[in-house]
């Protein structure tokens, strides 16, 4: 247990749509672990999701220096991947405040405010209406 206290752990929380990711950065070899599964398996090997999750580290040139341990809940894979990206960026700001400027210029510290629009009565979805009939 003494080994755990010696290692520095940096936390960051990311949110996107209805997903919330709690991210820990631990010095390591660059492994991505999501909900106790390898990141490749959890994100279904989708290269867009994997690169999005690791993008803040690549911007700073720290790819192989930190392991990313993530606990994520809610939403779909796209929202979860984006919430992981925001959580990693915030954890990197805790690690070193000088990291803030390069991450901010890349847009990794901006929380995406878009949410699902509610369904309106009389319509099939939020905006989809039935086909108009003249007669």
């Amino acid at each position: 247990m003494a080994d755990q206290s010696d290692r520095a752990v940096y936390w960051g929380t990311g949110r996107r749509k209805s997903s919330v990711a709690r991210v820990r950065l631990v010095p390591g070899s660059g492994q991505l672990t999501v909900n106790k599964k390898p990141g490749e398996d959890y994100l279904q090997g989708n290269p867009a999701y994997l690169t999005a999750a690791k993008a803040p580290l690549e911007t700073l040139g720290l790819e192989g220096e930190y392991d990313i341990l993530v606990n994520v809940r809610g939403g779909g894979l796209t929202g979860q991947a984006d919430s992981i990206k925001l959580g990693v960026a915030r954890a990197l700001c805790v690690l070193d405040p000088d990291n803030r400027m390069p991450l901010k210029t890349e847009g990794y510290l901006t929380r995406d405010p878009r949410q699902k629009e509610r369904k309106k009565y009389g319509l099939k979805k939020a905006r989809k209406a039935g086909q108009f009939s003249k007669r």
Side-chain angles (χ1 to χ4, degrees):
M1 197 71 182
D3 187 286
Q4 288 284 334
S5 62
D6 294 345
R7 298 189 328 176
V9 178
Y10 304 98
W11 287 88
T13 303
R15 293 183 188 85
R16 169 79 167 92
K17 289 188 173 179
S18 61
S19 72
V20 179
R22 291 176 292 178
V23 177
R24 282 184 297 166
L25 285 184
V26 181
S29 59
Q31 294 285 324
L32 173 64
T33 307
V34 182
N35 291 351
K36 298 181 182 173
K37 293 182 186 174
E40 298 261 336
D41 295 345
Y42 188 86
L43 297 173
Q44 300 175 356
N46 188 321
Y49 296 155
L50 291 167
T51 54
K54 296 179 180 180
L57 285 171
E58 290 171 10
T59 300
L60 299 172
L62 302 172
E63 302 95 58
E65 296 184 31
Y66 290 96
D67 288 343
I68 306 170
L69 305 172
V70 183
N71 186 323
V72 67
R73 292 277 178 265
L77 282 180
T78 304
Q80 288 184 352
D82 285 343
S83 65
I84 292 169
K85 177 173 67 175
L86 179 59
V88 169
R90 286 181 174 173
L92 287 168
C93 286
V94 172
L95 172 96
D96 185 8
D98 295 337
N99 291 339
R100 187 166 176 79
M101 270 316 291
L103 292 172
K104 195 153 181 66
T105 54
E106 291 291 322
Y108 295 140
L109 291 174
T110 305
R111 199 259 196 231
D112 193 340
R114 295 176 293 173
Q115 295 289 327
K116 184 170 174 64
E117 192 174 337
R118 69 172 285 267
K119 181 194 174 296
K120 297 359 172 261
Y121 56 86
L123 301 181
K124 295 183 185 308
K125 295 188 339 186
R127 297 183 182 212
K128 182 179 182 181
Q131 186 172 359
F132 177 74
S133 173
K134 201 176 251 188
R135 286 176 193 85

